[in-house]
Amino acid sequence: MARITDDELDDIRARNPIADVASGYTKLRRAGGRLVGPCPICGGRTSSQRFEVIEKEGTWLCAVCPDGGDVIRLVEKVEGCDFRAAIEKLGGRTAIDAARAKELFEERERKRLAREKTSADYREAERKRLFRTWKGALPIHDTVAARYLEGRGLALPDHCPGLRFMPTMSYWHGETIDERGRKAPRQIYAGPAMCGAFIRPDGKFGGLHLTWLNVATSPDDVTAPAPVKAEILDPDSGEVLNSKKMRGSKTGAYIAIVMHDAPRRLVIGEGIETVLSVWTAMHQAGRPLDDMAFWAAGDLGNLAGRANKTVNHPTLKRPNGQPQKVPDRFPDLDDLGLSIPDSVEELILLGDGDSEKVLTENAMERAARRYARQGRVIRIAFAPSGLDFNDLLKAEAA
């Protein structure tokens, strides 16, 4: 059979509204702006809301299977047939003249622009919500967050513009169904949190790095053991969840541990604690820091930027025995990465020794290539294998 064109696929979807086809397989009812019911693939009670049809997008999803897709995918799964057989069950291909092709193209463009606008509006609304949280947070000094850092042997600069503290911050995980039958984020925990502000390349606030903390006693009891990262459990599975989250947009953004308008030297690492460890060590050693800035990138991918391709890992394998893929050492130069100030003459990149070795080495070299400029010295500093820079700082203190 000849290749099926995008126009032909769109025509098949248009002739087979998802709600009509799904209703032929299962009994659906309206819940708010959605159509829900028992899944025609995995079953479920009549009152189930795990299977959902999104009419305006022409898609479906099931939280139990878990699966989802368009009307063709639905027929594939319910009927147990392949893609081309599903198309035949939906009436097959029909001849498409120029006028119909134009209609289909214009409809695709309308949906694409609507998705882009919705996505952009959502991101901006989320950014504004997070910025309100940031503005309402407390300076980090003399807080539970400061005690948490002190417990790890870390000092805080007198002025640390990128870190603040929230006495109570909600931890959202998964979804629930509200009283109107709509999906809503589920709060499973609330507690004190250290907040780091991501600053975008345009200099504006982009999002938050959040670390939830556990306080065993009163936050005002300075004699109590130092706070540690909170242990947060999934209430359904009991899985231990990550006590750190990044919300908003971090791509190309950084957390300013120490800010400088025109730094001559710049230190960048993944995590807040990693970068603070290096600052603390240099500060305690009496090193001159007046011309230096210290940034945390949030994660390795954001520090190094996008790779031009993926390559086979030399030893790691996937479950099927094929080599695991990792990002290459060479940058995709269409991705600008972090906005390194032109004033920077020496860039120091921090690589943790407790991260996967090949992945980390590739990322460090990729970052060095990306940020190279004539007259700029780039140094890569690796912690010893199995350790990070905070481990080194605590070992030195001990």
PDB file of all heavy atoms in Angstrom, residues 164-188:
ATOM      1  N   ARG A 164      16.121  32.048  48.381  1.00  0.00           N
ATOM      2  CA  ARG A 164      15.187  32.519  49.402  1.00  0.00           C
ATOM      3  C   ARG A 164      14.567  31.330  50.115  1.00  0.00           C
ATOM      4  O   ARG A 164      14.891  30.173  49.824  1.00  0.00           O
ATOM      5  CB  ARG A 164      14.102  33.421  48.790  1.00  0.00           C
ATOM      6  CG  ARG A 164      14.628  34.755  48.274  1.00  0.00           C
ATOM      7  CD  ARG A 164      13.507  35.655  47.790  1.00  0.00           C
ATOM      8  NE  ARG A 164      14.042  36.896  47.234  1.00  0.00           N
ATOM      9  CZ  ARG A 164      13.308  37.847  46.676  1.00  0.00           C
ATOM     10  NH1 ARG A 164      11.982  37.692  46.583  1.00  0.00           N
ATOM     11  NH2 ARG A 164      13.867  38.948  46.212  1.00  0.00           N
ATOM     12  N   PHE A 165      13.645  31.606  51.028  1.00  0.00           N
ATOM     13  CA  PHE A 165      13.049  30.544  51.853  1.00  0.00           C
ATOM     14  C   PHE A 165      11.544  30.743  51.968  1.00  0.00           C
ATOM     15  O   PHE A 165      11.063  31.861  52.173  1.00  0.00           O
ATOM     16  CB  PHE A 165      13.675  30.574  53.249  1.00  0.00           C
ATOM     17  CG  PHE A 165      12.997  29.657  54.233  1.00  0.00           C
ATOM     18  CD1 PHE A 165      13.089  28.282  54.086  1.00  0.00           C
ATOM     19  CD2 PHE A 165      12.268  30.167  55.290  1.00  0.00           C
ATOM     20  CE1 PHE A 165      12.454  27.430  54.981  1.00  0.00           C
ATOM     21  CE2 PHE A 165      11.631  29.321  56.191  1.00  0.00           C
ATOM     22  CZ  PHE A 165      11.725  27.942  56.041  1.00  0.00           C
ATOM     23  N   MET A 166      10.817  29.630  51.795  1.00  0.00           N
ATOM     24  CA  MET A 166       9.368  29.630  52.012  1.00  0.00           C
ATOM     25  C   MET A 166       9.055  28.761  53.236  1.00  0.00           C
ATOM     26  O   MET A 166       9.390  27.575  53.247  1.00  0.00           O
ATOM     27  CB  MET A 166       8.639  29.061  50.788  1.00  0.00           C
ATOM     28  CG  MET A 166       8.482  30.042  49.652  1.00  0.00           C
ATOM     29  SD  MET A 166       7.368  31.418  50.043  1.00  0.00           S
ATOM     30  CE  MET A 166       5.796  30.562  50.100  1.00  0.00           C
ATOM     31  N   PRO A 167       8.430  29.323  54.265  1.00  0.00           N
ATOM     32  CA  PRO A 167       8.096  28.525  55.460  1.00  0.00           C
ATOM     33  C   PRO A 167       7.178  27.342  55.146  1.00  0.00           C
ATOM     34  O   PRO A 167       7.294  26.284  55.762  1.00  0.00           O
ATOM     35  CB  PRO A 167       7.403  29.533  56.386  1.00  0.00           C
ATOM     36  CG  PRO A 167       7.922  30.867  55.935  1.00  0.00           C
ATOM     37  CD  PRO A 167       8.095  30.748  54.455  1.00  0.00           C
ATOM     38  N   THR A 168       6.270  27.509  54.175  1.00  0.00           N
ATOM     39  CA  THR A 168       5.395  26.413  53.763  1.00  0.00           C
ATOM     40  C   THR A 168       5.209  26.471  52.256  1.00  0.00           C
ATOM     41  O   THR A 168       4.837  27.503  51.709  1.00  0.00           O
ATOM     42  CB  THR A 168       4.011  26.497  54.439  1.00  0.00           C
ATOM     43  OG1 THR A 168       4.175  26.501  55.853  1.00  0.00           O
ATOM     44  CG2 THR A 168       3.154  25.294  54.051  1.00  0.00           C
ATOM     45  N   MET A 169       5.470  25.336  51.617  1.00  0.00           N
ATOM     46  CA  MET A 169       5.332  25.239  50.165  1.00  0.00           C
ATOM     47  C   MET A 169       4.657  23.916  49.835  1.00  0.00           C
ATOM     48  O   MET A 169       5.033  22.860  50.341  1.00  0.00           O
ATOM     49  CB  MET A 169       6.719  25.296  49.498  1.00  0.00           C
ATOM     50  CG  MET A 169       6.689  25.399  47.988  1.00  0.00           C
ATOM     51  SD  MET A 169       6.274  27.069  47.458  1.00  0.00           S
ATOM     52  CE  MET A 169       6.097  26.812  45.697  1.00  0.00           C
ATOM     53  N   SER A 170       3.632  23.963  48.989  1.00  0.00           N
ATOM     54  CA  SER A 170       2.908  22.751  48.603  1.00  0.00           C
ATOM     55  C   SER A 170       3.738  21.913  47.640  1.00  0.00           C
ATOM     56  O   SER A 170       4.448  22.442  46.789  1.00  0.00           O
ATOM     57  CB  SER A 170       1.577  23.114  47.940  1.00  0.00           C
ATOM     58  OG  SER A 170       0.721  23.772  48.851  1.00  0.00           O
ATOM     59  N   TYR A 171       3.621  20.594  47.801  1.00  0.00           N
ATOM     60  CA  TYR A 171       4.266  19.639  46.889  1.00  0.00           C
ATOM     61  C   TYR A 171       3.145  18.953  46.126  1.00  0.00           C
ATOM     62  O   TYR A 171       2.317  18.247  46.707  1.00  0.00           O
ATOM     63  CB  TYR A 171       5.082  18.628  47.694  1.00  0.00           C
ATOM     64  CG  TYR A 171       5.951  17.704  46.858  1.00  0.00           C
ATOM     65  CD1 TYR A 171       7.325  17.898  46.790  1.00  0.00           C
ATOM     66  CD2 TYR A 171       5.407  16.613  46.164  1.00  0.00           C
ATOM     67  CE1 TYR A 171       8.143  17.045  46.047  1.00  0.00           C
ATOM     68  CE2 TYR A 171       6.209  15.762  45.415  1.00  0.00           C
ATOM     69  CZ  TYR A 171       7.570  15.979  45.363  1.00  0.00           C
ATOM     70  OH  TYR A 171       8.372  15.140  44.624  1.00  0.00           O
ATOM     71  N   TRP A 172       3.118  19.148  44.810  1.00  0.00           N
ATOM     72  CA  TRP A 172       2.065  18.607  43.966  1.00  0.00           C
ATOM     73  C   TRP A 172       2.586  17.377  43.240  1.00  0.00           C
ATOM     74  O   TRP A 172       3.696  17.362  42.707  1.00  0.00           O
ATOM     75  CB  TRP A 172       1.604  19.648  42.947  1.00  0.00           C
ATOM     76  CG  TRP A 172       1.166  20.939  43.569  1.00  0.00           C
ATOM     77  CD1 TRP A 172       1.930  22.048  43.787  1.00  0.00           C
ATOM     78  CD2 TRP A 172      -0.128  21.248  44.082  1.00  0.00           C
ATOM     79  NE1 TRP A 172       1.192  23.027  44.401  1.00  0.00           N
ATOM     80  CE2 TRP A 172      -0.081  22.570  44.596  1.00  0.00           C
ATOM     81  CE3 TRP A 172      -1.333  20.536  44.156  1.00  0.00           C
ATOM     82  CZ2 TRP A 172      -1.180  23.193  45.166  1.00  0.00           C
ATOM     83  CZ3 TRP A 172      -2.433  21.154  44.728  1.00  0.00           C
ATOM     84  CH2 TRP A 172      -2.359  22.459  45.221  1.00  0.00           C
ATOM     85  N   HIS A 173       1.755  16.329  43.220  1.00  0.00           N
ATOM     86  CA  HIS A 173       2.164  15.096  42.559  1.00  0.00           C
ATOM     87  C   HIS A 173       0.929  14.373  42.047  1.00  0.00           C
ATOM     88  O   HIS A 173       0.020  14.047  42.817  1.00  0.00           O
ATOM     89  CB  HIS A 173       2.930  14.198  43.536  1.00  0.00           C
ATOM     90  CG  HIS A 173       3.366  12.887  42.938  1.00  0.00           C
ATOM     91  ND1 HIS A 173       4.371  12.796  42.005  1.00  0.00           N
ATOM     92  CD2 HIS A 173       2.906  11.618  43.145  1.00  0.00           C
ATOM     93  CE1 HIS A 173       4.530  11.527  41.669  1.00  0.00           C
ATOM     94  NE2 HIS A 173       3.657  10.792  42.331  1.00  0.00           N
ATOM     95  N   GLY A 174       0.893  14.118  40.759  1.00  0.00           N
ATOM     96  CA  GLY A 174      -0.240  13.410  40.181  1.00  0.00           C
ATOM     97  C   GLY A 174      -1.475  14.284  40.083  1.00  0.00           C
ATOM     98  O   GLY A 174      -1.412  15.510  40.220  1.00  0.00           O
ATOM     99  N   GLU A 175      -2.601  13.641  39.860  1.00  0.00           N
ATOM    100  CA  GLU A 175      -3.861  14.367  39.673  1.00  0.00           C
ATOM    101  C   GLU A 175      -4.966  13.771  40.525  1.00  0.00           C
ATOM    102  O   GLU A 175      -4.891  12.615  40.948  1.00  0.00           O
ATOM    103  CB  GLU A 175      -4.289  14.315  38.196  1.00  0.00           C
ATOM    104  CG  GLU A 175      -3.362  15.063  37.261  1.00  0.00           C
ATOM    105  CD  GLU A 175      -3.807  14.977  35.816  1.00  0.00           C
ATOM    106  OE1 GLU A 175      -4.393  13.935  35.436  1.00  0.00           O
ATOM    107  OE2 GLU A 175      -3.591  15.942  35.058  1.00  0.00           O
ATOM    108  N   THR A 176      -5.953  14.572  40.776  1.00  0.00           N
ATOM    109  CA  THR A 176      -7.167  14.131  41.447  1.00  0.00           C
ATOM    110  C   THR A 176      -8.350  14.669  40.663  1.00  0.00           C
ATOM    111  O   THR A 176      -8.176  15.446  39.722  1.00  0.00           O
ATOM    112  CB  THR A 176      -7.194  14.621  42.909  1.00  0.00           C
ATOM    113  OG1 THR A 176      -8.307  14.046  43.582  1.00  0.00           O
ATOM    114  CG2 THR A 176      -7.278  16.145  42.977  1.00  0.00           C
ATOM    115  N   ILE A 177      -9.544  14.274  41.021  1.00  0.00           N
ATOM    116  CA  ILE A 177     -10.757  14.772  40.385  1.00  0.00           C
ATOM    117  C   ILE A 177     -11.454  15.697  41.366  1.00  0.00           C
ATOM    118  O   ILE A 177     -11.750  15.305  42.494  1.00  0.00           O
ATOM    119  CB  ILE A 177     -11.697  13.615  39.985  1.00  0.00           C
ATOM    120  CG1 ILE A 177     -10.956  12.622  39.060  1.00  0.00           C
ATOM    121  CG2 ILE A 177     -12.940  14.162  39.304  1.00  0.00           C
ATOM    122  CD1 ILE A 177     -10.473  13.219  37.767  1.00  0.00           C
ATOM    123  N   ASP A 178     -11.668  16.947  40.952  1.00  0.00           N
ATOM    124  CA  ASP A 178     -12.295  17.907  41.866  1.00  0.00           C
ATOM    125  C   ASP A 178     -13.801  17.689  41.929  1.00  0.00           C
ATOM    126  O   ASP A 178     -14.354  16.787  41.299  1.00  0.00           O
ATOM    127  CB  ASP A 178     -11.934  19.349  41.475  1.00  0.00           C
ATOM    128  CG  ASP A 178     -12.502  19.768  40.112  1.00  0.00           C
ATOM    129  OD1 ASP A 178     -13.439  19.109  39.620  1.00  0.00           O
ATOM    130  OD2 ASP A 178     -12.018  20.761  39.549  1.00  0.00           O
ATOM    131  N   GLU A 179     -14.460  18.555  42.719  1.00  0.00           N
ATOM    132  CA  GLU A 179     -15.899  18.378  42.945  1.00  0.00           C
ATOM    133  C   GLU A 179     -16.734  18.592  41.693  1.00  0.00           C
ATOM    134  O   GLU A 179     -17.889  18.165  41.623  1.00  0.00           O
ATOM    135  CB  GLU A 179     -16.373  19.332  44.053  1.00  0.00           C
ATOM    136  CG  GLU A 179     -16.249  20.819  43.737  1.00  0.00           C
ATOM    137  CD  GLU A 179     -14.837  21.360  43.957  1.00  0.00           C
ATOM    138  OE1 GLU A 179     -13.960  20.553  44.367  1.00  0.00           O
ATOM    139  OE2 GLU A 179     -14.619  22.558  43.723  1.00  0.00           O
ATOM    140  N   ARG A 180     -16.149  19.197  40.661  1.00  0.00           N
ATOM    141  CA  ARG A 180     -16.862  19.412  39.400  1.00  0.00           C
ATOM    142  C   ARG A 180     -16.504  18.354  38.355  1.00  0.00           C
ATOM    143  O   ARG A 180     -16.871  18.474  37.199  1.00  0.00           O
ATOM    144  CB  ARG A 180     -16.562  20.810  38.869  1.00  0.00           C
ATOM    145  CG  ARG A 180     -16.996  21.932  39.833  1.00  0.00           C
ATOM    146  CD  ARG A 180     -16.594  23.299  39.339  1.00  0.00           C
ATOM    147  NE  ARG A 180     -17.269  23.653  38.106  1.00  0.00           N
ATOM    148  CZ  ARG A 180     -17.067  24.812  37.457  1.00  0.00           C
ATOM    149  NH1 ARG A 180     -16.198  25.694  37.959  1.00  0.00           N
ATOM    150  NH2 ARG A 180     -17.698  25.071  36.336  1.00  0.00           N
ATOM    151  N   GLY A 181     -15.798  17.324  38.787  1.00  0.00           N
ATOM    152  CA  GLY A 181     -15.463  16.238  37.885  1.00  0.00           C
ATOM    153  C   GLY A 181     -14.305  16.533  36.958  1.00  0.00           C
ATOM    154  O   GLY A 181     -14.109  15.831  35.964  1.00  0.00           O
ATOM    155  N   ARG A 182     -13.517  17.545  37.279  1.00  0.00           N
ATOM    156  CA  ARG A 182     -12.393  17.911  36.422  1.00  0.00           C
ATOM    157  C   ARG A 182     -11.077  17.461  37.046  1.00  0.00           C
ATOM    158  O   ARG A 182     -10.959  17.378  38.269  1.00  0.00           O
ATOM    159  CB  ARG A 182     -12.362  19.426  36.205  1.00  0.00           C
ATOM    160  CG  ARG A 182     -13.595  19.986  35.519  1.00  0.00           C
ATOM    161  CD  ARG A 182     -13.522  21.493  35.390  1.00  0.00           C
ATOM    162  NE  ARG A 182     -13.367  22.133  36.696  1.00  0.00           N
ATOM    163  CZ  ARG A 182     -13.376  23.452  36.883  1.00  0.00           C
ATOM    164  NH1 ARG A 182     -13.499  24.268  35.854  1.00  0.00           N
ATOM    165  NH2 ARG A 182     -13.242  23.955  38.106  1.00  0.00           N
ATOM    166  N   LYS A 183     -10.091  17.203  36.182  1.00  0.00           N
ATOM    167  CA  LYS A 183      -8.765  16.856  36.691  1.00  0.00           C
ATOM    168  C   LYS A 183      -8.138  18.072  37.357  1.00  0.00           C
ATOM    169  O   LYS A 183      -8.253  19.198  36.866  1.00  0.00           O
ATOM    170  CB  LYS A 183      -7.870  16.374  35.552  1.00  0.00           C
ATOM    171  CG  LYS A 183      -8.163  14.962  35.099  1.00  0.00           C
ATOM    172  CD  LYS A 183      -7.135  14.518  34.076  1.00  0.00           C
ATOM    173  CE  LYS A 183      -7.390  13.079  33.655  1.00  0.00           C
ATOM    174  NZ  LYS A 183      -6.397  12.634  32.642  1.00  0.00           N
ATOM    175  N   ALA A 184      -7.465  17.825  38.472  1.00  0.00           N
ATOM    176  CA  ALA A 184      -6.795  18.911  39.183  1.00  0.00           C
ATOM    177  C   ALA A 184      -5.513  18.358  39.795  1.00  0.00           C
ATOM    178  O   ALA A 184      -5.435  17.166  40.124  1.00  0.00           O
ATOM    179  CB  ALA A 184      -7.704  19.477  40.271  1.00  0.00           C
ATOM    180  N   PRO A 185      -4.467  19.198  39.926  1.00  0.00           N
ATOM    181  CA  PRO A 185      -3.238  18.739  40.581  1.00  0.00           C
ATOM    182  C   PRO A 185      -3.534  18.287  42.013  1.00  0.00           C
ATOM    183  O   PRO A 185      -4.431  18.803  42.672  1.00  0.00           O
ATOM    184  CB  PRO A 185      -2.341  19.987  40.561  1.00  0.00           C
ATOM    185  CG  PRO A 185      -2.910  20.866  39.505  1.00  0.00           C
ATOM    186  CD  PRO A 185      -4.376  20.603  39.490  1.00  0.00           C
ATOM    187  N   ARG A 186      -2.757  17.307  42.482  1.00  0.00           N
ATOM    188  CA  ARG A 186      -2.977  16.756  43.818  1.00  0.00           C
ATOM    189  C   ARG A 186      -1.838  17.168  44.750  1.00  0.00           C
ATOM    190  O   ARG A 186      -0.672  16.904  44.467  1.00  0.00           O
ATOM    191  CB  ARG A 186      -3.061  15.229  43.751  1.00  0.00           C
ATOM    192  CG  ARG A 186      -3.259  14.566  45.103  1.00  0.00           C
ATOM    193  CD  ARG A 186      -3.454  13.067  44.965  1.00  0.00           C
ATOM    194  NE  ARG A 186      -2.289  12.410  44.390  1.00  0.00           N
ATOM    195  CZ  ARG A 186      -2.071  11.101  44.475  1.00  0.00           C
ATOM    196  NH1 ARG A 186      -2.959  10.321  45.079  1.00  0.00           N
ATOM    197  NH2 ARG A 186      -1.001  10.572  43.929  1.00  0.00           N
ATOM    198  N   GLN A 187      -2.171  17.816  45.853  1.00  0.00           N
ATOM    199  CA  GLN A 187      -1.168  18.164  46.860  1.00  0.00           C
ATOM    200  C   GLN A 187      -1.014  16.981  47.807  1.00  0.00           C
ATOM    201  O   GLN A 187      -1.976  16.528  48.414  1.00  0.00           O
ATOM    202  CB  GLN A 187      -1.591  19.400  47.647  1.00  0.00           C
ATOM    203  CG  GLN A 187      -0.601  19.764  48.751  1.00  0.00           C
ATOM    204  CD  GLN A 187      -1.057  20.941  49.586  1.00  0.00           C
ATOM    205  OE1 GLN A 187      -1.540  21.940  49.064  1.00  0.00           O
ATOM    206  NE2 GLN A 187      -0.929  20.835  50.895  1.00  0.00           N
ATOM    207  N   ILE A 188       0.218  16.486  47.927  1.00  0.00           N
ATOM    208  CA  ILE A 188       0.442  15.342  48.813  1.00  0.00           C
ATOM    209  C   ILE A 188       1.320  15.703  50.001  1.00  0.00           C
ATOM    210  O   ILE A 188       1.511  14.884  50.905  1.00  0.00           O
ATOM    211  CB  ILE A 188       1.067  14.165  48.052  1.00  0.00           C
ATOM    212  CG1 ILE A 188       2.464  14.536  47.528  1.00  0.00           C
ATOM    213  CG2 ILE A 188       0.166  13.709  46.910  1.00  0.00           C
ATOM    214  CD1 ILE A 188       3.248  13.338  47.026  1.00  0.00           C
TER     215      ILE A 188
END
